[in-house]
Amino acid sequence: MFKKAEKVERDIDEDVALLADTLDEVLRDSASKTKEEISELHRKAKGVLRDARARFNDSSSLTQHARDMADHANSYVRDKPWQGVGIGAAVGIVIGLLLARR
């Protein structure tokens, strides 16, 4: 049920790591490089940044997935109200027991 959200989160983590690595390479190597090599690093960093921005802008699919899950839960509770009450009570009991242990 949450596999899509986990995949999107993993993709975003990978994009951020790649972006950080590229920025680190640009900052570390820019002092000792020639103008052509700096231009190449600049081009590479721009490409990574453009790709990361495109993926972040696509994160609206994660928001849509969360809305779909909320709608699904809402329709489930409307179709089966007593099961919804039972689930809510069970969750409340578990949370109460966890808080009482503190």
Side-chain angles (χ1 to χ4, degrees):
M1 175 163 37
F2 295 105
K3 293 196 185 297
K4 184 176 180 181
E6 291 171 358
K7 182 185 180 313
V8 170
E9 183 178 332
R10 198 172 33 241
D11 289 345
I12 290 173
D13 288 344
E14 290 171 3
D15 286 343
V16 170
L18 180 61
L19 188 59
D21 291 344
T22 304
L23 181 59
D24 185 44
E25 181 182 355
V26 168
L27 292 174
R28 182 185 62 238
D29 295 342
S30 63
S32 62
K33 299 286 183 181
T34 64
K35 188 173 184 175
E36 293 81 23
E37 292 171 326
I38 290 175
S39 295
E40 178 64 24
L41 281 174
H42 189 263
R43 186 193 58 73
K44 180 181 174 185
K46 271 187 164 179
V48 170
L49 182 59
R50 182 179 50 249
D51 292 344
R53 280 187 176 154
R55 286 225 178 150
F56 289 142
N57 289 337
D58 193 38
S59 69
S60 63
S61 64
L62 181 61
T63 305
Q64 184 60 41
H65 182 67
R67 285 187 183 135
D68 291 343
M69 294 304 300
D71 289 341
H72 179 69
N74 187 25
S75 64
Y76 180 83
V77 170
R78 287 182 187 269
D79 292 342
K80 302 174 183 178
W82 287 109
Q83 288 180 348
V85 169
I87 291 170
V91 169
I93 289 171
V94 169
I95 290 174
L97 289 172
L98 291 174
L99 290 175
R101 285 186 165 185
R102 287 185 148 196

